[in-house]
Amino acid sequence: MEKMILLGTHGRFGEELIKSAELILGEMKNVRSFSLLPGMALEDYIPSVAETLGKLPKGTLCLVDLFGGTPCNAFCALSREYGNAVVTGLNLAMLMEVYMNKDQLSNQELADLAVFTLKESGKNATRILGETP
């Protein structure tokens, strides 16, 4: 079974992030988003995530938007049973970097790469380029 990358986000952020990454990388296979929509509680969100994690190998990488938010809490709670890795701070650079390396690195190495990419992707572009706002 090929590695999967699961995204957990508030609203349709994850779905739109996949579409944005596909504009650059082309079709992305084995990436799935779980959207927490208005009115959904943790109890509504967990079953679909659990169903998918139950079909995947332990250690599956899950990228979520906010530390402490409902998607994060759901994926972390499920990690006790399914052994999935959870990294917060999901952004476009992180998703693309992890996706491009998913077949070469272990899930733990991908989790470390996700955090590294998150830290490195934020720049003060005007300062770097010598522009003054």
Side-chain angles (χ1 to χ4, degrees), residues 53-75:
L53 283 170
K55 298 174 185 173
L56 298 174
K58 283 194 179 270
T60 294
L61 182 60
C62 304
L63 306 175
V64 300
D65 53 6
L66 295 172
F67 177 75
T70 299
C72 177
N73 294 341
F75 278 93

Side-chain angles (χ1 to χ4, degrees), residues 49-130:
V49 175
E51 180 182 346
T52 298
L53 283 170
K55 298 174 185 173
L56 298 174
K58 283 194 179 270
T60 294
L61 182 60
C62 304
L63 306 175
V64 300
D65 53 6
L66 295 172
F67 177 75
T70 299
C72 177
N73 294 341
F75 278 93
C76 285
L78 292 167
S79 71
R80 294 180 199 112
E81 183 175 349
Y82 299 106
N84 49 298
V86 181
V87 175
T88 65
L90 174 60
N91 68 19
L92 182 58
M94 177 195 289
L95 174 59
M96 289 173 48
E97 194 67 31
V98 166
Y99 184 80
M100 291 186 299
N101 288 282
K102 74 179 178 61
D103 297 326
Q104 291 80 37
L105 301 176
S106 71
N107 282 326
Q108 186 54 57
E109 290 170 324
L110 287 172
D112 293 340
L113 177 63
V115 173
F116 176 80
T117 303
L118 174 63
K119 291 176 182 177
E120 292 297 310
S121 64
K123 306 284 183 199
N124 182 338
T126 52
R127 180 170 288 159
I128 292 169
L129 298 173

